[in-house]
């Protein structure tokens, strides 16, 4: 009967809507069903956080291993204190690894790249990167070069 | 001069009055708990005519808009050698703006005007009056299911629109212009955030669905029950809905993405 | 009106205006139970408005409207809707729901107001359709019906819940002679067999007078004459006679009120429309 056809198509319509939303969540925004409880936090202090923003990616050897949770000012050292959420599966980052701010491409977004160290010990939840390298500031670079320093 | 101000004031008063009446009308339609055994089949039927039948225009428009975005984005981005960012551009444009806005505009033209005309015609042929005389409240029987149907359909249509558009963009960017598929999706995923982009887009489409359907059913119910009255009500539905969508879009965008 | 012993509907000193225009100015009317009462009058005198006042779709500015012992304007929403279940109204256009078949149209009030099982609803609907001679047309859609059939189907719908009162809004307007004869017969039969109180609003004098027990003529917001059809035929008032005989000129003037004709054609001196433009 007509009512049955309507019921069926409306059901399919609603399912299509939910599927579209799921697609937007998973495929488009890359939301992984893994929740944040599956990650741990590391800290890094930079003299200049540059254009780094929360949610920017954190990668190691080009593979994304986490994201930046938030960026605050450390009121004692006047450095940028960056909290990084690292994937729980990557639990063996050597303790002497360095956090480096890099830019993807010439004009792309800034992200943190972790250069691997050689220490046997690993960073654990709440630890701070010992070595960091701040954002490359193009203007400063040029002015340094021009003044011959 | 004074007269002009008087006229202006009268228009203002009338506008506020009509908004008040529209609010009262909506409250009358939605107050109270409907009997699900009666209400559900009515709702399903309306979602069918308002939502399912709008699917074709939404899918086709979404596809073309996605493809156009792909082409335009490619030509602009390739100047900077960053055509790989095409996925991110298409997805953000669609999810944040074009998905909800264009869907709402198309919905107002396709379904909103039809709702207004249908209700206006029911009024003109005394169907609403006769329902009232049978002891059935037309606000609950006729208006409420149509309102909920539109309210639920627009977000669904908007989500489908965005997905089809992103797929259309991929068709042009990846299949035709040769952007690497991995960077199409990868760039998209690293820059589109579920909460700030996707969810805000959904919120927008919910708001637009509410406003567009409200305008449509109110214009139908409030129209002058003659052929001229119905045609002017239908026009008003499309014009008011479009203006409301575009205006609200600015406000919502400012609240959601503006830094203040 | 000759005071009925048992008025089913009673309007007293009803005042109602639409915008600036006063439609009823102290109208009083009694409608007896179980009889056919015709309310006649020229077009535009608010006959349909009168029915809407009785049905509670409009509220009078002053005066009382009593139906079955209840004051309609004072009823709350629920009580009003309950009272309406006892009323049937046949609209001028029939007002069938265009998206439902004839059968579903007649079944609509039954489905809404009762919890009867489907086979019982089917029996009732077929009975009502049989009464108006449309049992064979149950599966047609309203768009497929002729004007007369539409009105009969709508009539079947208005009596679906066995109301105590039925109101007919211009039942004869725009009908061919045969369809008109059918409606006349139906109104008379329904009144006789179900003991319905019937109110008939019309400007078709011969048809109305042929079936009603009482009639009253409304003009200019008040009742200008009432009584049984015989009493009305011999009514002394010129206005009543003009309406019943259909004379083009009389107390109701042929000309719509206007400015002096001479002034309109610019023959006379100072124009009424002012100077300039």
């Amino acid at each position: 009967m007509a009512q049955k056809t309507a019921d069926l198509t409306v059901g399919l319509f609603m399912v299509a809507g939910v599927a579209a939303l799921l697609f937007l969540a998973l495929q488009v925004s890359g939301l992984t069903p893994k929740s944040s409880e599956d990650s741990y936090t590391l800290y890094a202090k930079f003299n200049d956080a540059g254009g780094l923003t929360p949610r920017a990616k954190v990668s190691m050897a080009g593979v994304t291993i986490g994201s930046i949770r938030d960026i605050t000012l450390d009121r004692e050292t006047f450095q940028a204190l960056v909290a990084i959420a690292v994937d729980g599966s990557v639990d063996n980052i050597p303790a002497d690894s360095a956090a480096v701010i890099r830019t993807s491409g010439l004009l792309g977004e800034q992200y943190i790249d972790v250069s691997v160290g050689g220490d046997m010990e690993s960073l654990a939840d709440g630890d701070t990167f010992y070595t960091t390298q701040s954002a490359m500031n193009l203007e400063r670079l040029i002015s340094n070069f021009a003044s011959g320093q | 001069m004074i007269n002009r101000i008087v006229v202006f004031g009268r228009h203002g008063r009338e506008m506020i009055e009509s908004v008040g009446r529209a609010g009262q009308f909506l409250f009358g339609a939605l107050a109270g708990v409907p009997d699900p055994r009666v209400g559900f089949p009515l709702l399903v039927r309306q979602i069918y005519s308002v939502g399912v039948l709008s699917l074709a225009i939404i899918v086709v428009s979404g596809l073309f808009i996605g493809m156009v975005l792909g082409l335009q984005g490619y030509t602009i981005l390739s100047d900077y050698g960053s055509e790989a960012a095409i996925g991110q551009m298409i997805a953000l444009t669609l999810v944040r703006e074009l998905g909800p806005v264009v869907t709402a505009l198309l919905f107002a033209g396709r379904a909103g005007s039809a709702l207004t005309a249908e209700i206006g015609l029911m009024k003109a042929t005394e169907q609403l009056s006769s329902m009232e005389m049978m002891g059935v409240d037309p606000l609950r029987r006729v208006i409420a299911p149509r309102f909920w149907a539109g309210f639920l359909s627009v977000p669904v249509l908007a989500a489908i629109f965005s997905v089809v558009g992103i797929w259309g963009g991929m068709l042009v960017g990846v299949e035709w212009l040769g952007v690497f598929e991995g960077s199409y999706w990868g760039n998209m995923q690293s820059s589109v955030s579920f909460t700030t982009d996707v969810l805000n887009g959904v919120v927008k489409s919910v708001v637009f669905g509410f406003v567009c359907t409200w305008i449509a059913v109110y214009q139908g119910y409030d129209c002058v029950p003659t052929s001229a009255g119905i045609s002017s009500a239908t026009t008003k539905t499309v014009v008011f809905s479009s203006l409301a969508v575009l205006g609200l879009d600015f406000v919502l965008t400012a609240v959601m993405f503006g830094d203040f | 009106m000759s005071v009925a012993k048992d008025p089913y509907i009673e309007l007293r000193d009803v005042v109602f205006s639409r915008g600036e225009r006063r439609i009823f100015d102290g109208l009083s009317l009694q409608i007896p139970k179980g009889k056919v009462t015709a309310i006649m009058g020229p077009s535009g005198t608010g006959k349909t408005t009168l029915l809407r006042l009785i049905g509670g779709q409009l509220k009078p500015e002053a005066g009382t409207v009593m139906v079955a012992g209840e004051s309609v304007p004072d009823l709350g929403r629920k009580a009003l809707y309950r009272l309406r279940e006892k009323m049937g109204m046949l609209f001028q256009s029939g007002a069938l729901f265009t998206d439902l078949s004839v059968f579903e149209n007649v079944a609509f009030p039954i489905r809404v107001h009762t919890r009867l099982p489907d086979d019982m609803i089917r029996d009732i609907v077929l009975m009502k359709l049989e009464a108006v001679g449309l049992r064979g047309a149950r599966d047609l859609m309203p768009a497929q019906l002729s004007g007369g059939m539409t009105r009969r189907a709508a009539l079947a719908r208005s009596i679906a819940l066995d109301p105590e009162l039925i109101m007919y809004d211009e039942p004869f307007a725009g009908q061919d002679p045969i369809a008109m004869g059918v409606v006349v017969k139906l109104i008379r039969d329904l009144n006789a067999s179900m003991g319905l109180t019937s109110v008939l609003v019309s400007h078709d004098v011969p048809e109305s007078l042929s079936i009603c027990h009482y009639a009253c003529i409304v003009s200019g917001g008040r009742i200008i004459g009432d009584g049984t059809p015989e009493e009305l035929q011999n009514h002394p008032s010129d206005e009543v006679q003009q309406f019943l005989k259909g004379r083009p000129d009389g107390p109701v003037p042929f000309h719509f009120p206007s400015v002096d004709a001479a002034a309109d054609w610019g023959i006379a001196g100072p124009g009424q429309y002012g100077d300039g433009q």
Side-chain angles (χ1 to χ4, degrees):
Chain A
M1 216 199 100
Q3 180 71 34
K4 214 165 200 172
T5 334
D7 282 350
L8 183 70
T9 47
V10 167
L12 289 176
F13 176 67
M14 288 321 227
V15 169
V18 172
L21 202 63
L22 274 178
F23 180 85
L24 288 180
L26 301 179
Q27 179 71 6
V28 175
S29 67
L31 190 77
T32 36
K34 260 184 296 180
S35 56
S36 58
E37 64 198 57
D38 205 27
S39 69
Y40 63 99
T41 308
L42 296 178
Y43 295 95
K45 290 179 182 172
F46 295 98
N47 291 327
D48 182 1
L52 209 58
T53 56
R55 295 197 311 100
K57 68 174 181 176
V58 176
S59 68
M60 183 181 255
V63 181
T64 305
I65 57 163
S67 62
I68 291 173
R69 184 166 291 159
D70 73 333
I71 302 171
T72 49
L73 185 70
D74 185 331
R75 289 166 53 122
E76 285 164 25
T77 60
F78 298 106
Q79 282 178 309
L81 179 63
V82 178
I84 300 165
V86 182
D87 229 341
S89 58
V90 189
D91 55 359
N92 55 347
I93 300 174
D96 63 345
S97 299
V100 183
I101 298 182
R102 287 189 196 280
T103 310
S104 56
L106 192 58
L107 300 165
E109 287 200 340
Q110 293 195 303
Y111 66 99
I112 290 181
D113 184 51
V114 177
S115 343
V116 190
D119 206 323
M120 296 304 284
E121 267 180 73
S122 309
L123 290 168
D125 188 32
D127 283 354
T128 306
F129 280 102
Y130 187 69
T131 352
T132 63
Q133 188 182 323
S134 292
M136 176 184 67
N137 189 325
L138 213 55
E139 271 175 57
R140 194 184 301 155
L141 206 67
I142 292 169
S143 68
N144 285 354
F145 178 73
S147 61
Q149 290 178 342
Chain B
M1 186 64 208
I2 296 275
N3 273 341
R4 288 219 182 128
I5 297 176
V6 168
V7 168
F8 189 69
R10 174 145 20 97
H11 279 306
R13 200 198 63 208
E14 276 166 8
M15 210 180 81
I16 292 170
E17 266 177 16
S18 75
V19 169
R21 260 185 297 137
Q24 225 173 14
F25 155 83
L26 190 67
F27 182 78
L30 306 186
V33 187
D35 181 349
R37 270 181 312 158
V38 181
F40 192 71
L42 289 175
L43 179 68
V44 166
R45 191 145 275 243
Q46 290 308 320
I47 293 183
Y48 178 76
S49 67
V50 162
V52 175
L53 294 184
S54 305
L55 205 53
I57 188 176
I58 291 293
V59 168
V60 172
S61 318
L63 186 64
F64 279 118
I65 287 189
M67 285 162 63
V68 167
L69 283 175
L71 272 178
Q72 292 281 15
Y74 183 84
T75 46
I76 295 171
L77 290 173
S78 61
D79 283 350
Y80 301 96
S82 48
E83 59 267 22
I86 191 177
Q88 145 187 9
M89 191 206 80
I90 291 173
L92 283 180
T93 327
L94 280 170
V95 168
R96 282 183 179 182
E97 285 297 333
L98 291 184
V101 170
V102 176
T103 301
L105 293 179
L106 291 173
F107 178 85
R110 159 70 182 68
S113 58
L115 279 178
T116 305
E118 187 192 12
I119 295 170
L121 212 58
M122 287 178 91
K123 185 179 180 182
T125 54
E126 296 175 311
Q127 292 183 45
L128 297 183
S129 271
S130 78
M131 210 175 256
E132 236 175 68
M133 286 305 298
M134 275 182 246
V136 179
D137 189 345
L139 282 182
R140 295 196 185 164
R141 179 84 191 189
V142 175
I143 303 298
R146 283 171 175 72
F147 175 81
W148 287 123
F151 180 71
L152 292 174
S153 295
V154 173
V156 170
L157 290 172
I160 293 174
F161 184 96
S162 296
V163 168
V164 173
I166 288 167
W167 184 75
M170 189 188 79
L171 214 58
V172 168
V174 175
E175 305 291 329
W176 182 13
L177 298 171
V179 174
F180 178 54
E181 187 174 354
S183 46
Y184 184 83
W185 293 113
N187 263 314
M188 194 184 292
Q189 286 170 2
S190 65
S191 61
V192 177
S193 135
F194 182 69
T195 45
T196 55
D197 299 320
V198 177
L199 280 190
N200 275 343
V202 171
V203 168
K204 272 187 180 179
S205 63
V206 168
V207 172
F208 296 161
F210 180 92
V211 172
C212 285
T213 325
W214 185 15
I215 291 177
V217 292
Y218 177 69
Q219 287 297 342
Y221 193 78
D222 196 50
C223 78
V224 180
T226 59
S227 41
I230 294 172
S231 92
S232 107
T234 316
T235 311
K236 275 187 197 162
T237 294
V238 176
V239 172
F240 290 175
S241 302
S242 310
L243 290 180
V245 164
L246 296 172
L248 276 173
D249 183 47
F250 173 73
V251 174
L252 288 174
T253 307
V255 171
M256 287 167 175
F257 302 105
D259 265 337
F260 49 79
Chain C
M1 167 170 279
S2 42
V3 177
K5 307 186 290 285
D6 187 12
Y8 188 76
I9 300 172
E10 189 171 8
L11 282 80
R12 201 176 301 135
D13 304 324
V14 169
V15 178
F16 183 84
S17 38
R18 189 157 265 168
E20 302 281 291
R21 208 163 76 88
R22 181 146 289 193
I23 294 178
F24 298 126
D25 196 359
L27 180 114
S28 296
L29 175 66
Q30 287 184 327
I31 290 168
K33 194 175 173 123
K35 301 276 197 256
V36 180
T37 305
I39 298 171
M40 297 186 287
S43 316
T45 44
K47 301 187 298 289
T48 305
T49 310
L50 191 66
L51 294 187
R52 288 182 191 264
L53 283 168
I54 295 172
Q57 288 187 309
L58 297 172
K59 279 191 183 5
E61 283 151 46
T64 52
V65 179
M66 304 285 289
V67 174
E70 295 188 80
S71 169
V72 176
D74 300 328
L75 289 179
R77 221 186 77 99
K78 269 227 172 88
L80 182 61
Y81 276 84
R82 207 168 308 124
L83 178 65
R84 282 181 184 159
E85 291 176 33
K86 294 192 229 165
M87 301 180 184
M89 179 150 168
L90 180 65
F91 284 84
Q92 202 169 339
S93 61
L96 290 177
F97 302 131
T98 39
D99 54 340
L100 299 178
S101 68
V102 169
F103 180 93
E104 285 302 321
N105 259 290
V106 179
F108 180 86
I110 309 175
R111 286 197 208 282
V112 172
H113 290 301
T114 67
R115 295 250 180 279
L116 294 178
D118 269 352
D119 52 341
M120 215 150 142
I121 292 180
R122 185 173 173 276
D123 290 350
I124 297 176
V125 171
L126 291 186
M127 219 164 73
K128 301 296 175 188
L129 282 174
E130 175 73 17
V132 298
L134 289 183
R135 192 162 46 87
R138 67 186 108 159
D139 294 325
L140 296 182
M141 296 305 280
Q144 299 168 290
L145 299 179
S146 71
M149 282 161 83
T150 304
R151 219 161 286 190
R152 278 149 72 185
L155 184 57
R157 188 180 63 181
S158 9
I159 57 171
L161 287 174
D162 294 326
E164 297 172 5
L165 164 71
I166 182 157
M167 297 184 272
Y168 302 92
D169 187 2
E170 300 284 6
F172 311 118
Q175 299 273 44
D176 65 67
I178 301 173
M180 211 182 261
V182 169
V183 175
V184 168
K185 171 180 151 39
L186 281 174
I187 294 177
R188 194 187 287 139
D189 288 357
L190 284 175
N191 182 70
S193 62
M194 298 170 71
L196 283 171
T197 305
S198 312
V199 182
L200 171 68
V201 151
S202 176
H203 50 232
D204 292 291
V205 176
E207 286 78 17
S208 306
L209 289 186
S210 73
I211 42 170
C212 68
H213 299 101
Y214 297 101
C216 59
I217 299 176
V218 184
S219 180
R222 62 200 168 81
I223 290 182
I224 57 170
D226 57 9
T228 60
E230 294 74 37
E231 284 169 1
L232 275 179
Q233 296 287 9
N234 305 316
H235 203 277
S237 152
D238 277 351
E239 234 177 318
V240 171
Q241 291 305 327
Q242 187 198 353
F243 178 74
L244 291 182
K245 305 276 159 29
R247 293 192 201 110
D249 210 351
V252 177
F254 171 69
H255 285 290
F256 191 80
S258 60
V259 295
D260 186 46
D264 237 4
W265 276 289
I267 303 167
Q272 263 82 348
Y273 294 122
D275 302 317
Q277 290 200 327

